[in-house]
Amino acid sequence: MRTQVLGSKLIVLAATAVMSAALVSVAAAHATATDTAARYIVQARTLSAANQDVAGVGAKAEQNLAIINAVSVRLNPWQVARLRKIPGVHVFADRSLKTDTLLGLLSPVTSPVVKITSSLQTPQDGQGMLLPSLLYQTNYPALIGADSLQQAGITGKGVTIAVLDSGLWQDASQNYSSRLLASIDVLNGGSGPVKADPYGHGTHVTSIAAGGAMNLAGSYLSIAPKANLVVVRAFDGTGAGRYADVIAGLNWIVANRAKYKIRVLNLSFGAAPQSYYWDDPLAQAVMAAWRAGIVVVTAAGNEGPTAMTIDVPGNVPYVITTGALTDNNTPYTVSDDRLASFSSTGPTYEGFVKPELVAPGGHIVASMASSSYLANIDRGSMLLTEQMFTMSGTSMAAAVTTGVVALMLQSDPTLTPDTVKCRLLASSRPAVTSSGKLAYSVFQQGAGLINAVSAVNSAATGCANLGLDINADLAGTAHFGGPANQTDAGNYYIMNMAGSTWGAPQVGDGYSWSQGYAWNQGYNWSAGYLWSQGYSWSKGYSWAKGYSWAKGYSWAKGYSWAKSVPWWGSTGSSAVSTTPASIENWVPNQ
């Protein structure tokens, strides 16, 4: 069944010049009342209509958000109430956001680095000693196979990665120089270039995905060291941001995608969902970027191991949502690698399996200025001599995945976002126990650990975003749910979505989950696992498919938030909407 979304003919306030003047005069009077104004996002049928509606209540738009036919504006309660009475107009409180980081604040954790004094020496495992990164290195490029691709000349060259975060500090050793094609600081409605990164998160994320630094062994310390970059700053010096600025950044990226050949977008931030994905303005903007041909990679969140903790915009079914793996401080021993306990897990409230995959995200060493905010609140994780910082989180895992996507697109520039996602899923390696069973459910690890070599060499097609229609989703004519559900006992499972057994639990290893697992135990990540019912992972998977929303079955059973007034139509307090939500809450390094 296809669900119709709210929408009717837009009422234009201003029948005559006299009436228009009178309305504005009344609105202006209310605007000067004692009511405290707050920031909102006002969405209408068109951008022009949104500006007209805002002007009709005596307010002036601060930012045009054409990507979602909306504007950001400061409104008092009277103005909000007036706008919400106009058919086809949605008014959203401008939510706060914060970048996802996990620092070693609860226990002293040093960099898990391995001494390499020459390319002839065999690396040995060791606990980090905070020695120079030119002698010591983490192993995440090798763990996923990116190092071998780099040696073969696949370095991301010619592919542009956009990073929307807290800015960029350009350490000379990262060799950004001409690879940085453009930057814009949209914070608080700005439009100038990015001059710094006082918080540090954006620099860390960017250098993981596309830093150009090398160690003495001649190995790159990033995934796509020759990719081009576009940097958009939407978070301030404490890591705080707001929906309007982030959407403005997305608007700029989509508008300039052709000019700078932007193919990949990294979003290492998030907030707890307050509505279905299709009603969230940030999620709408992210879907618009995907539809425009940009591969969007997001962080799952750092609220794990609890179920249903996937953040916005990671809950958008189309995008590639990344969870985190840690190597247990033994970068050259893969058998003890495990899912990081902080990594957020699915399903989403709409029943989609998330994250799609996991990538290294534990104690990642990457570039950061010693003067940055993060470096000074966790000095034990800062390597002053090399301006490197150790940080954990799905933010870091998303950056690794973003780098892999750049490698894939250099190898085959014709790939569409859906095909990139398909090949990543088809080539990932799930964690298995010694008995050959899945160590984690699909709700925790998705398809498994990302494999750069297999992803680049994959020929898989048509195995991601099946059953979805992004045009209908954005138009509001249809929305979609995934095959996940929850029993009355609180256990999660994948539904059989075919035939007379529609809605019943699907039989298969990893398709059900009671939330119990040994998060401190390591497992092998198998490349040859047969996921379910004898079907090779590369041949398609029922959980990766979407279905028209509300096909006679309740995905949202027991989810109280789904029964409340939609976020955009709420007439209650906006306190919940504006509470800062961290993309990844801080946790100890793992």
PDB file of all heavy atoms in Angstrom, residues 70-87:
ATOM      1  N   ALA A  70      13.208  24.682   1.554  1.00  0.00           N
ATOM      2  CA  ALA A  70      13.008  25.209   2.901  1.00  0.00           C
ATOM      3  C   ALA A  70      13.923  26.400   3.151  1.00  0.00           C
ATOM      4  O   ALA A  70      14.841  26.690   2.363  1.00  0.00           O
ATOM      5  CB  ALA A  70      13.267  24.124   3.935  1.00  0.00           C
ATOM      6  N   VAL A  71      13.663  27.089   4.256  1.00  0.00           N
ATOM      7  CA  VAL A  71      14.514  28.177   4.719  1.00  0.00           C
ATOM      8  C   VAL A  71      14.727  28.003   6.219  1.00  0.00           C
ATOM      9  O   VAL A  71      13.905  27.389   6.907  1.00  0.00           O
ATOM     10  CB  VAL A  71      13.888  29.567   4.444  1.00  0.00           C
ATOM     11  CG1 VAL A  71      13.722  29.796   2.951  1.00  0.00           C
ATOM     12  CG2 VAL A  71      12.550  29.722   5.184  1.00  0.00           C
ATOM     13  N   SER A  72      15.827  28.544   6.715  1.00  0.00           N
ATOM     14  CA  SER A  72      16.008  28.624   8.166  1.00  0.00           C
ATOM     15  C   SER A  72      15.660  30.037   8.595  1.00  0.00           C
ATOM     16  O   SER A  72      15.931  31.011   7.872  1.00  0.00           O
ATOM     17  CB  SER A  72      17.443  28.284   8.554  1.00  0.00           C
ATOM     18  OG  SER A  72      18.348  29.267   8.089  1.00  0.00           O
ATOM     19  N   VAL A  73      15.072  30.159   9.763  1.00  0.00           N
ATOM     20  CA  VAL A  73      14.546  31.452  10.186  1.00  0.00           C
ATOM     21  C   VAL A  73      14.343  31.450  11.700  1.00  0.00           C
ATOM     22  O   VAL A  73      14.104  30.406  12.306  1.00  0.00           O
ATOM     23  CB  VAL A  73      13.202  31.746   9.472  1.00  0.00           C
ATOM     24  CG1 VAL A  73      12.164  30.688   9.798  1.00  0.00           C
ATOM     25  CG2 VAL A  73      12.685  33.142   9.775  1.00  0.00           C
ATOM     26  N   ARG A  74      14.432  32.638  12.304  1.00  0.00           N
ATOM     27  CA  ARG A  74      14.108  32.786  13.723  1.00  0.00           C
ATOM     28  C   ARG A  74      12.642  33.184  13.850  1.00  0.00           C
ATOM     29  O   ARG A  74      12.185  34.144  13.213  1.00  0.00           O
ATOM     30  CB  ARG A  74      15.006  33.833  14.385  1.00  0.00           C
ATOM     31  CG  ARG A  74      16.472  33.423  14.444  1.00  0.00           C
ATOM     32  CD  ARG A  74      17.284  34.410  15.254  1.00  0.00           C
ATOM     33  NE  ARG A  74      16.914  34.370  16.662  1.00  0.00           N
ATOM     34  CZ  ARG A  74      17.411  33.513  17.560  1.00  0.00           C
ATOM     35  NH1 ARG A  74      18.316  32.616  17.184  1.00  0.00           N
ATOM     36  NH2 ARG A  74      17.027  33.552  18.814  1.00  0.00           N
ATOM     37  N   LEU A  75      11.907  32.445  14.667  1.00  0.00           N
ATOM     38  CA  LEU A  75      10.474  32.665  14.826  1.00  0.00           C
ATOM     39  C   LEU A  75      10.100  32.678  16.300  1.00  0.00           C
ATOM     40  O   LEU A  75      10.688  31.945  17.115  1.00  0.00           O
ATOM     41  CB  LEU A  75       9.679  31.559  14.124  1.00  0.00           C
ATOM     42  CG  LEU A  75       9.898  31.359  12.619  1.00  0.00           C
ATOM     43  CD1 LEU A  75       9.232  30.062  12.170  1.00  0.00           C
ATOM     44  CD2 LEU A  75       9.352  32.552  11.837  1.00  0.00           C
ATOM     45  N   ASN A  76       9.086  33.465  16.629  1.00  0.00           N
ATOM     46  CA  ASN A  76       8.527  33.391  17.973  1.00  0.00           C
ATOM     47  C   ASN A  76       7.336  32.430  17.954  1.00  0.00           C
ATOM     48  O   ASN A  76       6.885  32.009  16.878  1.00  0.00           O
ATOM     49  CB  ASN A  76       8.144  34.778  18.490  1.00  0.00           C
ATOM     50  CG  ASN A  76       7.056  35.447  17.657  1.00  0.00           C
ATOM     51  OD1 ASN A  76       6.153  34.775  17.135  1.00  0.00           O
ATOM     52  ND2 ASN A  76       7.129  36.774  17.521  1.00  0.00           N
ATOM     53  N   PRO A  77       6.811  32.052  19.100  1.00  0.00           N
ATOM     54  CA  PRO A  77       5.721  31.062  19.137  1.00  0.00           C
ATOM     55  C   PRO A  77       4.499  31.465  18.311  1.00  0.00           C
ATOM     56  O   PRO A  77       3.841  30.609  17.706  1.00  0.00           O
ATOM     57  CB  PRO A  77       5.387  30.975  20.624  1.00  0.00           C
ATOM     58  CG  PRO A  77       6.683  31.283  21.300  1.00  0.00           C
ATOM     59  CD  PRO A  77       7.308  32.344  20.461  1.00  0.00           C
ATOM     60  N   TRP A  78       4.155  32.758  18.280  1.00  0.00           N
ATOM     61  CA  TRP A  78       3.006  33.188  17.483  1.00  0.00           C
ATOM     62  C   TRP A  78       3.251  32.916  16.002  1.00  0.00           C
ATOM     63  O   TRP A  78       2.363  32.436  15.291  1.00  0.00           O
ATOM     64  CB  TRP A  78       2.759  34.680  17.716  1.00  0.00           C
ATOM     65  CG  TRP A  78       1.600  35.215  16.896  1.00  0.00           C
ATOM     66  CD1 TRP A  78       0.286  35.202  17.238  1.00  0.00           C
ATOM     67  CD2 TRP A  78       1.681  35.805  15.592  1.00  0.00           C
ATOM     68  NE1 TRP A  78      -0.479  35.763  16.231  1.00  0.00           N
ATOM     69  CE2 TRP A  78       0.355  36.139  15.211  1.00  0.00           C
ATOM     70  CE3 TRP A  78       2.723  36.093  14.714  1.00  0.00           C
ATOM     71  CZ2 TRP A  78       0.053  36.742  13.993  1.00  0.00           C
ATOM     72  CZ3 TRP A  78       2.433  36.686  13.498  1.00  0.00           C
ATOM     73  CH2 TRP A  78       1.113  37.002  13.140  1.00  0.00           C
ATOM     74  N   GLN A  79       4.443  33.248  15.520  1.00  0.00           N
ATOM     75  CA  GLN A  79       4.766  33.029  14.116  1.00  0.00           C
ATOM     76  C   GLN A  79       4.761  31.536  13.764  1.00  0.00           C
ATOM     77  O   GLN A  79       4.292  31.135  12.696  1.00  0.00           O
ATOM     78  CB  GLN A  79       6.131  33.650  13.797  1.00  0.00           C
ATOM     79  CG  GLN A  79       6.145  35.164  13.882  1.00  0.00           C
ATOM     80  CD  GLN A  79       7.546  35.734  13.847  1.00  0.00           C
ATOM     81  OE1 GLN A  79       8.462  35.207  14.454  1.00  0.00           O
ATOM     82  NE2 GLN A  79       7.707  36.859  13.138  1.00  0.00           N
ATOM     83  N   VAL A  80       5.291  30.734  14.668  1.00  0.00           N
ATOM     84  CA  VAL A  80       5.297  29.282  14.455  1.00  0.00           C
ATOM     85  C   VAL A  80       3.867  28.767  14.323  1.00  0.00           C
ATOM     86  O   VAL A  80       3.533  27.985  13.419  1.00  0.00           O
ATOM     87  CB  VAL A  80       6.026  28.558  15.608  1.00  0.00           C
ATOM     88  CG1 VAL A  80       5.846  27.044  15.492  1.00  0.00           C
ATOM     89  CG2 VAL A  80       7.506  28.924  15.626  1.00  0.00           C
ATOM     90  N   ALA A  81       3.007  29.224  15.235  1.00  0.00           N
ATOM     91  CA  ALA A  81       1.610  28.780  15.210  1.00  0.00           C
ATOM     92  C   ALA A  81       0.918  29.189  13.911  1.00  0.00           C
ATOM     93  O   ALA A  81       0.147  28.413  13.331  1.00  0.00           O
ATOM     94  CB  ALA A  81       0.870  29.348  16.422  1.00  0.00           C
ATOM     95  N   ARG A  82       1.178  30.405  13.454  1.00  0.00           N
ATOM     96  CA  ARG A  82       0.575  30.869  12.206  1.00  0.00           C
ATOM     97  C   ARG A  82       1.038  30.024  11.016  1.00  0.00           C
ATOM     98  O   ARG A  82       0.232  29.624  10.170  1.00  0.00           O
ATOM     99  CB  ARG A  82       0.953  32.347  11.968  1.00  0.00           C
ATOM    100  CG  ARG A  82       0.326  33.327  12.935  1.00  0.00           C
ATOM    101  CD  ARG A  82      -1.099  33.664  12.595  1.00  0.00           C
ATOM    102  NE  ARG A  82      -1.217  34.298  11.276  1.00  0.00           N
ATOM    103  CZ  ARG A  82      -2.350  34.716  10.767  1.00  0.00           C
ATOM    104  NH1 ARG A  82      -3.479  34.554  11.443  1.00  0.00           N
ATOM    105  NH2 ARG A  82      -2.393  35.276   9.564  1.00  0.00           N
ATOM    106  N   LEU A  83       2.324  29.754  10.946  1.00  0.00           N
ATOM    107  CA  LEU A  83       2.870  28.990   9.832  1.00  0.00           C
ATOM    108  C   LEU A  83       2.336  27.564   9.813  1.00  0.00           C
ATOM    109  O   LEU A  83       2.081  26.988   8.751  1.00  0.00           O
ATOM    110  CB  LEU A  83       4.396  28.989   9.885  1.00  0.00           C
ATOM    111  CG  LEU A  83       5.074  30.303   9.478  1.00  0.00           C
ATOM    112  CD1 LEU A  83       6.552  30.288   9.853  1.00  0.00           C
ATOM    113  CD2 LEU A  83       4.915  30.542   7.981  1.00  0.00           C
ATOM    114  N   ARG A  84       2.151  26.979  10.974  1.00  0.00           N
ATOM    115  CA  ARG A  84       1.689  25.592  11.047  1.00  0.00           C
ATOM    116  C   ARG A  84       0.226  25.444  10.643  1.00  0.00           C
ATOM    117  O   ARG A  84      -0.251  24.334  10.431  1.00  0.00           O
ATOM    118  CB  ARG A  84       1.932  25.032  12.448  1.00  0.00           C
ATOM    119  CG  ARG A  84       3.387  24.623  12.660  1.00  0.00           C
ATOM    120  CD  ARG A  84       3.661  24.026  14.015  1.00  0.00           C
ATOM    121  NE  ARG A  84       5.004  23.436  14.031  1.00  0.00           N
ATOM    122  CZ  ARG A  84       5.745  23.291  15.114  1.00  0.00           C
ATOM    123  NH1 ARG A  84       5.278  23.678  16.292  1.00  0.00           N
ATOM    124  NH2 ARG A  84       6.949  22.738  15.041  1.00  0.00           N
ATOM    125  N   LYS A  85      -0.455  26.561  10.516  1.00  0.00           N
ATOM    126  CA  LYS A  85      -1.837  26.511  10.058  1.00  0.00           C
ATOM    127  C   LYS A  85      -1.940  26.554   8.534  1.00  0.00           C
ATOM    128  O   LYS A  85      -3.018  26.377   7.976  1.00  0.00           O
ATOM    129  CB  LYS A  85      -2.627  27.672  10.656  1.00  0.00           C
ATOM    130  CG  LYS A  85      -2.850  27.555  12.163  1.00  0.00           C
ATOM    131  CD  LYS A  85      -3.622  28.758  12.696  1.00  0.00           C
ATOM    132  CE  LYS A  85      -3.835  28.639  14.209  1.00  0.00           C
ATOM    133  NZ  LYS A  85      -4.550  29.824  14.743  1.00  0.00           N
ATOM    134  N   ILE A  86      -0.825  26.815   7.871  1.00  0.00           N
ATOM    135  CA  ILE A  86      -0.838  26.918   6.406  1.00  0.00           C
ATOM    136  C   ILE A  86      -0.691  25.519   5.812  1.00  0.00           C
ATOM    137  O   ILE A  86       0.282  24.810   6.082  1.00  0.00           O
ATOM    138  CB  ILE A  86       0.319  27.812   5.905  1.00  0.00           C
ATOM    139  CG1 ILE A  86       0.216  29.210   6.525  1.00  0.00           C
ATOM    140  CG2 ILE A  86       0.299  27.901   4.378  1.00  0.00           C
ATOM    141  CD1 ILE A  86       1.387  30.109   6.188  1.00  0.00           C
ATOM    142  N   PRO A  87      -1.653  25.073   5.018  1.00  0.00           N
ATOM    143  CA  PRO A  87      -1.570  23.741   4.417  1.00  0.00           C
ATOM    144  C   PRO A  87      -0.286  23.579   3.589  1.00  0.00           C
ATOM    145  O   PRO A  87       0.112  24.478   2.854  1.00  0.00           O
ATOM    146  CB  PRO A  87      -2.818  23.680   3.520  1.00  0.00           C
ATOM    147  CG  PRO A  87      -3.761  24.660   4.138  1.00  0.00           C
ATOM    148  CD  PRO A  87      -2.904  25.775   4.660  1.00  0.00           C
TER     149      PRO A  87
END
